[in-house]
Amino acid sequence: MSAKAGTDDKPGYYGLGCVWTDLNSDGLIDLYVGNDSTPNYLYLNLGGGAFKEIGYESGTAVNEDGMEQAAMGVDAGDYDGDGRFDLFVTNFIDDYSTLYRNEGEMSFADVSWLSRLAEPGWNFMKWGTGFVDFDNDGLRDLFIANGHIYPEIENKGFGQTYAQRNQLFVNTGDGQFGEVRDETLEKILKVGRGAAFGDLDRDGRIDVVINNLDDQPTVLLNRSVAGNGIALKLTGRGSNRDAIGARLTIVADGKRQSAEVKAGHSYLSQSDTKLHFGLGAAKKVESIEVRWPGGGVQRASEVAVNQVLKLEETAAK
């Protein structure tokens, strides 16, 4: 179906990370593909099984200097709370990972330097990643799994190592991020690749599982001092059962947040499909709206915090 759909990659680029996400809020799921040392693809969903590749038009094919990068992992999420999903792409060492801010109308701006994400990752080989609210303050933070590809890089004078520490960046709420230099993260030196996210111990805080090359996985249990939160498990009936492609929007303390149920993102990883929202000091969720993949809209109101709420698709309203 690829040629008919317009996603058949005629130039033969080297795709690594990819994510399905509705970038223009039209109810159609678009596809972003991070390519290695070649321009990235953004496939705009036209409906009816057809796509149009608009990487260059959208500003997501290359970085702000017009340079191709070497993409590894990707994720989509609304880090600045404007209701539009932004894109984050991890790239090769001696380069920065790219944060593309969604400006609307399928136009994006490379704000990697403005957001303070570029410089701290320069000397790392960056892979799995995710927009995750780790401290439940209502702001999406970023996690990056790191690990080199050349064992022989050690002691060659480049200041680089094969095993590397992972990185966590906290969202400061002003369009910027600050790296968290946590003692636990500093001590774990592995050759990281995939990163997946979910609340493993059901304490309302999102944990991380990292797949390491030729090694056992790393499991990071979240012990952050965190605010209230809520998780929602969606089950499709008319839509697919896992509700892949559903968009959920909540309002708590007057603040609106959105997220999507995704099938695969990061790098070779699948996270928990429950959607997690940090709520800070909010005591309740004022409203919930689910837009199911089939187009139906479902709502709930006055919902208690600090729970896993299960919502099953009903008839379209």
Side-chain angles (χ1 to χ4, degrees):
M1 291 296 295
S2 300
K4 183 178 179 181
T7 61
D8 52 339
D9 180 28
K10 289 184 174 64
Y13 292 163
Y14 306 110
L16 273 84
C18 65
V19 62
W20 290 94
T21 178
D22 182 1
L23 292 169
N24 58 354
S25 302
D26 65 351
L28 300 171
I29 309 301
D30 311 300
L31 174 63
Y32 185 73
V33 181
N35 291 314
D36 187 359
S37 303
T38 50
N40 301 320
Y41 287 137
L42 176 52
Y43 292 106
L44 172 65
N45 192 333
L46 303 176
F51 293 81
K52 179 184 179 183
E53 203 287 299
I54 59 167
Y56 276 108
E57 297 170 46
S58 65
T60 61
V62 293
N63 68 12
E64 64 178 351
D65 296 319
M67 299 294 293
E68 300 164 355
Q69 296 178 284
M72 305 294 194
V74 301
D75 195 18
D78 181 13
Y79 81 94
D80 53 1
D82 63 1
R84 297 188 292 259
F85 291 105
D86 312 288
L87 295 167
F88 185 68
V89 186
T90 58
N91 292 307
F92 206 79
I93 202 165
D94 293 329
D95 198 357
Y96 64 87
S97 293
T98 314
L99 177 61
Y100 294 105
R101 185 179 63 207
N102 190 336
E103 307 280 88
E105 304 296 326
M106 295 303 276
S107 176
F108 293 77
D110 177 355
V111 295
S112 310
W113 291 99
L114 289 174
S115 63
R116 297 192 299 157
L117 285 168
E119 190 276 334
W122 192 273
N123 210 33
F124 291 88
M125 190 81 73
K126 304 162 288 286
W127 299 84
T129 189
F131 283 108
V132 178
D133 185 355
F134 288 105
D135 54 0
N136 283 355
D137 64 350
L139 299 169
R140 301 272 166 180
D141 311 302
L142 275 168
F143 183 88
I144 303 174
N146 295 316
H148 217 297
I149 61 171
Y150 301 128
E152 62 272 19
I153 200 68
E154 305 273 356
N155 303 315
K156 296 296 182 181
F158 295 105
Q160 300 171 4
T161 58
Y162 183 50
Q164 298 180 340
R165 63 178 176 85
N166 302 306
Q167 291 178 289
L168 173 62
F169 295 89
V170 64
N171 188 333
T172 56
D174 55 359
Q176 297 185 328
F177 292 81
E179 186 176 6
V180 177
R181 298 300 297 267
D182 179 80
E183 182 179 355
T184 301
L185 290 176
E186 300 280 341
K187 291 180 179 179
I188 301 174
L189 300 178
K190 301 280 187 178
V191 186
R193 291 294 186 264
F197 309 93
D199 183 4
L200 299 177
D201 52 0
R202 300 184 180 181
D203 66 353
R205 295 172 292 191
I206 297 298
D207 310 299
V208 187
V209 179
I210 302 130
N211 187 38
N212 300 305
L213 189 64
D214 297 328
D215 202 344
Q216 63 187 8
T218 298
V219 179
L220 298 174
L221 293 179
N222 188 344
R223 294 294 181 254
S224 304
V225 176
N228 294 322
I230 190 169
L232 297 103
K233 175 61 177 176
L234 306 183
T235 301
R237 290 304 179 201
S239 305
N240 66 87
R241 183 173 177 82
D242 290 321
I244 303 300
R247 174 177 291 207
L248 197 150
T249 301
I250 71 165
V251 177
D253 267 355
K255 181 177 181 179
R256 183 180 299 269
Q257 298 185 59
S258 298
E260 295 173 315
V261 183
K262 294 191 287 255
H265 66 108
S266 183
Y267 175 76
L268 298 178
S269 302
Q270 173 62 51
S271 295
D272 187 0
T273 56
K274 288 192 292 292
L275 296 180
H276 170 265
F277 297 90
L279 303 174
K283 303 299 183 183
K284 65 178 179 180
V285 178
E286 294 143 26
S287 68
I288 295 173
E289 179 181 285
V290 183
R291 189 187 69 195
W292 298 96
V297 176
Q298 200 168 328
R299 296 179 176 88
S301 60
E302 302 300 311
V303 176
V305 302
N306 298 327
Q307 65 164 318
V308 176
L309 179 65
K310 297 180 179 180
L311 291 177
E312 187 172 304
E313 184 178 14
T314 59
K317 295 182 180 178

